[in-house]
Amino acid sequence: MTEYHADDYGLFPEQSRHIIDCYHTGALNGISIMPNSPYLSACMDEIKDIKDKLLITAHLNFVEGKPITGSNASRLTNAAGNFDIGFLKLLIISYIPVIRLFYKKQLATEIKAQLKACEPYMNNGEFRIDGHVHYHMIPVVFDALMDVLGAEDYKVSYIRFPKEVLGVYLKAFGKVKDIKPINVVKSLILNVLSARNERKYGEELRRMGVKSKLFMGVMLSGHMFYENVMACLPYLGDVLADKGESEVELLFHPGDVSVPEDIKCLTSKDDYEFLTSANREKEAKALKKLGSNLKR
């Protein structure tokens, strides 16, 4: 099964409508929902008639907006109370004894609150989990997540491990036009972090019944355009065949933030640049074209 997935559902109403339109007119069959968004409940009400047809995932967020736990997440926020802790900073903190414990405690408290916010919307009473900008792969964050999952005895069917098969892009070299050097670095880092988390928690995850699947979406992050995806799919299919697997998650970001009032509410500079980019519309068009292909 191919999962055509969109992150960031529920961030804003209009932005979320742009995402779900890719289900009605395209290939979209999975969404990740923003736990700390004040619009989450209203946005989920908008899709209550099709919710069971979508793979819904809790999108743990330490980047955009305010934490659910407020001042209890003070190490993760700025003076305005908005999330403001960089990926690299948390990665470094992950390997600093004692200090990491203070951050891990606040992360665990916020993760518990975010999972609780998403719980009513999980299908079949089972959690699927990933993270905004893949923060959930940072060791101190993943360790905190595993502590919460163990303590709360949640049923979890899936956790995204954003491991790119780099050979796919080598084979598609010359056909893919939008691989940026920063995305190569991100892919390498996330591959290493994914391997670390699987190595440390593999047995526990298997015991919990947690599955992962092949993944594509970091190397072309921001540029999951139709032509790029189609150039890679044959080689990705070869990898699936070689591994004897049948499931892959393709990650898109079709939810552009275009309403002026919503744009003003974005708290992350990186999210501002990413979510207001015209590339969001191009990724939406990719999902719609892929949907047309599936209907043939």
Side-chain angles (χ1 to χ4, degrees):
M1 172 189 171
T2 300
E3 179 177 348
Y4 299 93
H5 196 94
D7 279 359
D8 309 331
Y9 185 84
L11 182 58
F12 298 111
E14 186 63 23
Q15 169 255 3
S16 296
R17 292 186 191 105
H18 296 169
I19 291 174
I20 215 63
D21 185 49
C22 296
Y23 165 80
H24 292 296
T25 63
L28 184 74
N29 59 4
I31 57 172
S32 292
I33 61 176
M34 298 291 282
N36 63 324
S37 170
Y39 302 105
L40 178 59
S41 178
C43 290
M44 294 307 294
D45 282 345
E46 288 285 325
I47 62 169
K48 58 186 177 183
D49 58 328
I50 60 169
K51 187 179 82 72
D52 292 342
K53 299 177 181 179
L54 293 165
L55 296 164
I56 297 178
T57 307
H59 198 50
L60 298 178
N61 172 31
F62 309 101
V63 177
E64 181 61 48
K66 297 180 183 296
I68 295 175
T69 55
S71 60
N72 288 324
S74 58
R75 293 180 182 273
L76 312 176
T77 61
N78 56 24
N82 296 316
F83 281 122
D84 188 21
I85 186 159
F87 189 103
L88 182 58
K89 181 177 179 179
L90 266 182
L91 181 57
I92 293 171
I93 287 169
S94 295
Y95 296 99
I96 301 177
V98 181
I99 292 178
R100 78 183 305 274
L101 297 178
F102 294 110
Y103 281 85
K104 184 183 175 186
K105 181 179 179 180
Q106 291 197 356
L107 285 162
T109 301
E110 179 65 17
I111 288 170
K112 182 178 178 180
Q114 292 195 15
L115 291 178
K116 184 176 180 63
C118 292
E119 189 169 13
Y121 311 117
M122 296 292 102
N123 290 329
N124 303 317
E126 294 183 342
F127 275 93
R128 289 168 46 95
I129 299 170
D130 60 32
H132 193 49
V133 200
H134 311 295
Y135 266 55
H136 68 303
M137 283 291 108
I138 300 172
V140 69
V141 180
F142 199 83
D143 291 350
L145 170 62
M146 292 302 295
D147 284 354
V148 172
L149 294 181
E152 298 299 316
D153 197 29
Y154 285 124
K155 293 182 179 178
V156 184
S157 62
Y158 175 71
I159 295 177
R160 177 192 290 164
F161 283 81
K163 297 183 299 180
E164 291 275 15
V165 181
L166 303 183
V168 167
Y169 302 97
L170 290 173
K171 291 179 180 178
F173 186 77
K175 300 177 183 178
V176 177
K177 301 178 181 179
D178 298 284
I179 294 178
K180 307 300 180 185
I182 187 61
N183 286 346
V184 176
V185 174
K186 289 178 181 178
S187 294
L188 293 171
I189 291 172
L190 287 170
N191 280 9
V192 170
L193 296 181
S194 294
R196 177 265 183 191
N197 295 330
E198 288 182 321
R199 184 170 59 251
K200 183 172 182 178
Y201 294 104
E203 184 176 337
E204 184 174 352
L205 290 168
R206 285 189 290 274
R207 186 168 61 249
M208 293 168 63
V210 178
K211 296 180 180 179
S212 61
K213 59 180 72 174
L214 235 59
F215 174 85
M216 174 182 170
V218 174
M219 191 72 81
L220 284 168
S221 180
H223 299 85
M224 286 285 282
F225 306 153
Y226 180 77
E227 294 78 9
N228 288 336
V229 173
M230 292 301 292
C232 294
L233 282 183
Y235 305 110
L236 192 60
D238 291 342
V239 174
L240 285 167
D242 289 344
K243 291 179 175 290
E245 298 181 12
S246 60
E247 295 189 87
V248 60
E249 178 183 5
L250 306 183
L251 175 60
F252 297 80
H253 292 87
D256 60 304
V257 179
S258 54
V259 177
E261 291 76 12
D262 295 342
I263 293 173
K264 291 177 183 178
C265 291
L266 290 169
T267 62
S268 164
K269 180 182 177 182
D270 289 342
D271 271 4
Y272 175 90
E273 294 176 355
F274 190 87
L275 294 174
T276 60
S277 168
N279 288 346
R280 304 288 67 72
E281 186 176 353
K282 292 182 180 180
E283 294 199 22
K285 288 180 179 178
L287 280 166
K288 292 172 184 179
K289 284 188 176 182
L290 288 164
S292 297
N293 292 349
L294 292 173
K295 293 174 183 177
R296 289 175 184 170

